[in-house]
Amino acid sequence: MSAATRRLTTAQALVRFLAAQYTERDGVRHRLVAGTWGIFGHGNVAGVGQALVEYGDVMPFHQGRSEQAMVHAAVGHARHLNRLSAQAVTTSIGPGATNLVTGAALATVNRLPVLLLPGDYFASHAADPLLQQLEHPSEADVSVNDALRPVSRYFDRINRPEALLASAPRAMRVLADPAETGAVTLALPQDVQAEAFDWPEEFFADRVWRVRRPAPDPEELADAVRALRAARRPLIVAGGGVHHGEAEAALEALVDATGIPVASTQAGKGSLRHDHPADLGGIGHTGTAVADDLARTADLVIGVGTRYSDFTTASGTLFQDPGVRFLNLNITAFDAHKLAARTLVCDARAGLTALTGALYGHRVPSSYEDEYRAGRARWEETVRAALRADDENAVPTQTQVLGALDAVVGDEDVVINAAGSLPGDLHKLWRSRSPRQYHLEYGYSCMGYEIPAALGVQQAAPGVPVWALVGDGTYLMNPTEIVTAVQEELPVKLVLVQNHGYASIGGLSESVGAERFGTDYRHRAADGTFTGAPLPVDLAANAASLGMDVLRAKTVRELREALSTARAATRPTCVYVETAAGDAPGAQAWWDVPVAEVSARDAATGARARYEQAVADRRHHL
């Protein structure tokens, strides 16, 4: 080997390269790829697996139990570190690789970085077909990994070792670019992984990817300032970009200077602390009454780092002022231009700081501030009533579970959720005390996200109490990473809420005329009807069998005590609680789920009439 090259296999070279990649923003440096999750089989065990053994001193390895869950863990890690650090995930050929698709879609939908390294078929076609190969009769270069193309922000198949010299830096650029990031896939044919090549030493040199804070265009800024000065009822919609850009203090400074109120998406909740006088809580279908009422009469909506999902806009029915216009501050032009908005394509912190300076002396009318502060006070009474438990010896409702948790957590705790009925209750009721506390994955709303994501967050924040909130339906989707938590000694806390079915979809099913069909976990009689008896399933025992310490709580008092014990625990701990029926605050805005246009059943025909009345309020903002 010459002095200028190093002879390594492709897999060894890739691992060495990844270990030398860094991001830097505001002078703070992070490992870009902080570790690798893996499940081994043919297709990666002799290539990437061997390389991870060879270079375990520079690339930490984490053993997963489900390929999808490993991606969720990596996403949780990246989100908690504001997209400045990612993790890699390696899998075998075939089902191991296709199990990545859901996690990849979640990462890309949420604009969060993760590096996927699935094994692939022989580039040489020496063994063809091989075990688990999907043969395509007319496209011999197609593999199951091509299913990852539409859910990846960058995709390449490394058919020759030297192809990595160009592709690996391109992959890192996408991972580190806040305007382009998401799932990045490098498919690795198993023969190429093991093939040796003389690699230039420069390939392994430390490389820093600076994460820019682009400033707003002066003309766009001037146009935005004119719009804000003219508005009488402006409303800020804070999205996940506020957190990703670490712009919470800049947002607070703008709000304090101008009095503009802030409503938040699921990803943006916590952009202002819950007790800030201008914080209105969640917006949209799962939002608060005060936020949605102001949204209906806002004349200027300022979206900061949001992609305006249908939950945020109430499927196009929320922003009803006849002259409402939009101003979108976003690092991606794609999102900034939504809803025919004026645009500020820039970093969230840079843009908000520029707006604060340019709006010096401007403030919304005092009557508007009085209005939204009164609305805040009314909604806070709703929150207190929902979280309060008057009888300490009663079986808690789901909202009282949140009340008990609220009483136990500190400002530094992280609460993770993604699917079921909990996201709606949390968005309306949770009192976020710090920017990192509220961790809701609602871009893809993926059942099974919470437990593995808690592992990734715990790795990113050692010593911080991390809570995964799951219902019984979500738990049954993906409990396997409990074993990983035990193996990795990650003291995550699991709150397992048992209500014997898919509560959220059950309620939706009833509202759209499907009569809760297929949403209960109960015994069926011979005629197919439900008997009402719950299934003899003990999820607490299941969690214990996977290695968790389990605390069972039957009353509000026992629940609060169990949560306190779990928070202090130094190993993975589950608090199991069966909930009573209770009335959480209802939806404050509509959501479009089309109802059968014709039906012989009264439930469906009634739901269709209500649907047609609601859909008439939809607007196309042009």
Side-chain angles (χ1 to χ4, degrees):
M1 183 179 71
S2 72
T5 63
R6 191 184 312 183
R7 191 162 182 81
L8 302 173
T9 69
T10 303
Q12 292 165 356
L14 177 60
V15 171
R16 290 295 304 184
F17 171 84
L18 295 178
Q21 307 302 303
Y22 297 87
T23 62
E24 186 175 287
R25 185 169 69 182
D26 303 330
V28 180
R29 188 168 294 189
H30 301 263
R31 276 280 296 268
L32 176 52
V33 180
T36 299
W37 290 88
I39 296 175
F40 294 113
H42 86 104
N44 71 337
V45 65
V48 174
Q50 188 282 328
L52 288 168
V53 172
E54 188 106 1
Y55 297 117
D57 58 331
V58 294
M59 180 56 68
F61 174 73
H62 313 292
Q63 183 181 7
R65 268 72 195 176
S66 156
E67 291 87 358
Q68 181 187 132
M70 293 192 298
V71 186
H72 294 337
V75 167
H77 171 96
R79 174 171 171 167
H80 195 77
L81 294 177
N82 297 323
R83 305 192 294 198
L84 296 170
S85 180
Q87 292 177 319
V89 177
T90 181
T91 71
S92 62
I93 285 170
T98 52
N99 283 346
L100 295 173
V101 173
T102 296
L106 181 147
T108 298
V109 165
N110 286 285
R111 280 62 160 174
L112 293 167
V114 61
L115 176 62
L116 308 180
L117 304 174
D120 212 326
Y121 311 157
F122 283 76
S124 66
H125 291 242
D128 189 23
L130 71 156
L131 177 66
Q132 299 177 325
Q133 181 172 342
L134 176 68
E135 294 182 89
H136 196 290
S138 61
E139 297 181 60
D141 64 339
V142 168
S143 83
V144 294
N145 286 338
D146 289 284
L148 287 160
R149 289 181 183 271
V151 293
S152 297
R153 293 291 289 167
Y154 179 83
F155 179 97
D156 195 9
R157 181 175 285 112
I158 308 301
N159 285 318
R160 291 293 307 144
E162 57 267 34
L164 197 64
L165 293 170
S167 190
R170 291 171 186 163
M172 298 303 102
R173 182 193 66 79
V174 174
L175 284 177
D177 189 335
E180 294 193 37
T181 197
V184 168
T185 300
L186 296 179
L188 302 172
Q190 61 174 315
D191 53 345
V192 178
Q193 289 181 50
E195 187 175 345
F197 182 75
D198 292 329
W199 301 89
E201 284 289 349
E202 294 88 347
F203 189 59
F204 308 114
D206 286 0
R207 184 176 303 203
V208 177
W209 302 87
R210 286 192 169 81
V211 181
R212 299 178 299 277
R213 289 194 181 276
D217 175 83
E219 291 188 9
E220 285 193 336
L221 179 61
D223 190 32
V225 170
R226 283 191 293 270
L228 279 161
R229 287 188 179 277
R232 301 293 294 172
R233 299 180 64 82
L235 172 67
I236 293 172
V237 176
V242 176
H243 295 312
H244 300 326
E246 298 175 336
E248 297 90 356
L251 175 64
E252 185 174 12
L254 174 65
V255 170
D256 289 346
T258 64
I260 302 173
V262 176
S264 55
T265 69
Q266 287 279 18
K269 193 172 170 75
S271 295
L272 287 183
R273 191 180 154 94
H274 75 93
D275 52 5
H276 191 284
D279 180 62
L280 308 181
I283 190 171
H285 179 64
T286 53
T288 68
V290 57
D292 286 350
D293 285 347
L294 259 68
R296 293 184 180 97
T297 59
D299 57 359
L300 181 67
V301 178
I302 306 104
V304 182
T306 178
R307 61 189 190 89
Y308 287 110
S309 78
D310 61 340
F311 260 58
T312 299
T313 68
S315 300
T317 65
L318 186 57
F319 305 111
Q320 286 295 325
D321 185 85
V324 65
R325 300 303 294 173
F326 296 84
L327 167 64
N328 291 338
L329 192 166
N330 206 294
I331 201 164
T332 69
F334 177 82
D335 290 315
H337 281 276
K338 290 177 177 176
L339 302 176
R342 292 179 172 88
T343 61
L344 275 176
V345 181
C346 60
D347 169 75
R349 183 194 290 180
L352 290 168
T353 301
L355 283 174
T356 302
L359 288 167
Y360 180 78
H362 174 73
R363 195 167 185 88
V364 299
S366 59
S367 58
Y368 185 48
E369 291 190 70
D370 292 343
E371 178 187 344
Y372 70 68
R373 290 184 182 189
R376 267 180 47 85
R378 290 192 299 271
W379 184 256
E380 181 57 28
E381 288 302 313
T382 300
V383 172
R384 290 195 187 99
L387 300 182
R388 184 176 59 243
D390 295 324
D391 184 355
E392 291 282 299
N393 296 312
V395 175
T397 66
Q398 181 165 284
T399 58
Q400 289 168 350
V401 170
L402 298 183
L405 185 61
D406 176 76
V408 167
V409 301
D411 289 8
E412 68 275 22
D413 293 40
V414 180
V415 176
I416 301 173
N417 187 241
S421 56
L422 278 165
D425 291 350
L426 285 161
H427 201 204
K428 296 186 193 80
L429 303 174
W430 189 258
R431 298 161 168 150
S432 297
R433 307 174 194 183
S434 64
R436 299 268 69 80
Q437 182 169 86
Y438 188 87
H439 183 126
L440 258 285
E441 188 289 294
Y442 215 60
Y444 212 49
S445 188
C446 186
M447 296 178 73
Y449 171 82
E450 295 91 340
I451 296 173
L455 273 59
V457 172
Q458 193 73 84
Q459 289 173 332
V464 170
V466 179
W467 302 84
L469 275 57
V470 301
D472 49 337
T474 290
Y475 178 86
L476 288 168
M477 285 276 185
N478 201 7
T480 55
E481 298 317 297
I482 288 173
V483 178
T484 303
V486 173
Q487 182 179 32
E488 298 257 342
E489 298 182 341
L490 296 170
V492 295
K493 296 90 172 62
L494 172 62
V495 180
L496 177 50
V497 179
Q498 170 66 278
N499 55 24
H500 301 289
Y502 301 119
S504 174
I505 293 300
L508 177 63
S509 173
E510 187 172 45
S511 72
V512 298
E515 303 174 59
R516 293 185 177 265
F517 178 76
T519 62
D520 287 321
Y521 295 164
R522 292 183 291 167
H523 281 289
R524 288 182 181 271
D527 63 359
T529 60
F530 287 112
T531 65
L535 298 176
V537 175
D538 190 340
L539 299 183
N542 178 260
S545 75
L546 296 176
M548 273 197 139
D549 292 342
V550 176
L551 306 169
R552 296 175 184 258
K554 295 182 179 180
T555 67
V556 172
R557 178 179 290 107
E558 290 177 3
L559 174 62
R560 191 173 291 115
E561 292 170 353
L563 292 171
S564 295
T565 300
R567 189 173 188 272
T570 58
R571 66 181 314 276
T573 302
C574 170
V575 176
Y576 174 86
V577 58
E578 188 165 356
T579 54
D583 293 326
Q588 304 297 311
W590 186 62
W591 182 45
D592 190 352
V593 178
V595 177
E597 193 168 359
V598 295
S599 174
R601 300 183 69 83
D602 291 343
T605 56
R608 180 66 192 190
R610 293 188 296 273
Y611 175 82
E612 290 177 352
Q613 183 177 9
V615 79
D617 291 332
R618 193 197 317 276
R619 293 182 61 184
H620 296 283
H621 299 284
L622 302 171

